[in-house]
Amino acid sequence: MANLQGATEQRARAALLDCQRRVLERIANAAPLPEILETLVKLIEEQASDMRCAVLLADAGQQKLRFAAAPNMGSCGTAAFRREPVYTRDTANDPLWEDCGDIAVRNG
């Protein structure tokens, strides 16, 4: 049992290192920031399949956030504004997901 758990942890570490390598390659090759961030977001979602990720950039002067990379948008901006986690029970009906709830539901 311990060997199985150890092997699983080793595979997870190897996958994480591979993800890190892919992001660093894009940075080293001077890829555009949106491409780097999109790669990062997708890799995070691959590693944590029950999680959805987005990168928002803050414009301090206008006190606004804009999505830089987000395969699935939703309550991320609200969470950043409130500076606390935001939980959604039903993305199909939650007002925070008004503009993209159907996409989230379609993609599970």
Side-chain angles (χ1 to χ4, degrees):
M1 182 73 160
N3 285 342
L4 180 60
Q5 185 178 6
T8 301
E9 288 175 7
Q10 189 174 6
R11 280 193 299 278
R13 278 194 301 273
L16 189 57
L17 287 172
D18 183 57
C19 291
Q20 181 181 14
R21 179 192 52 77
R22 286 190 269 169
V23 171
L24 291 173
E25 280 178 354
R26 288 192 174 57
I27 293 169
N29 290 325
L33 182 60
E35 180 184 323
I36 294 167
L37 295 176
E38 193 70 31
T39 300
L40 181 63
V41 165
K42 288 178 181 177
L43 294 173
I44 290 169
E45 289 188 0
E46 283 176 19
Q47 291 296 309
S49 61
D50 60 338
M51 218 168 87
R52 296 298 168 255
C53 183
V55 175
L56 293 90
L57 298 178
D59 179 346
Q62 296 180 4
Q63 293 188 330
K64 291 187 178 187
L65 294 172
R66 69 178 176 85
F67 284 96
N72 300 290
M73 297 182 299
S75 54
C76 305
T78 303
F81 177 77
R82 293 180 183 170
R83 297 175 186 234
E84 62 185 25
V86 173
Y87 301 96
T88 302
R89 289 183 189 267
D90 182 0
T91 55
N93 297 310
D94 190 305
L96 296 175
W97 288 80
E98 182 178 22
D99 296 330
C100 55
D102 59 328
I103 297 168
V105 170
R106 245 190 347 258
N107 290 290

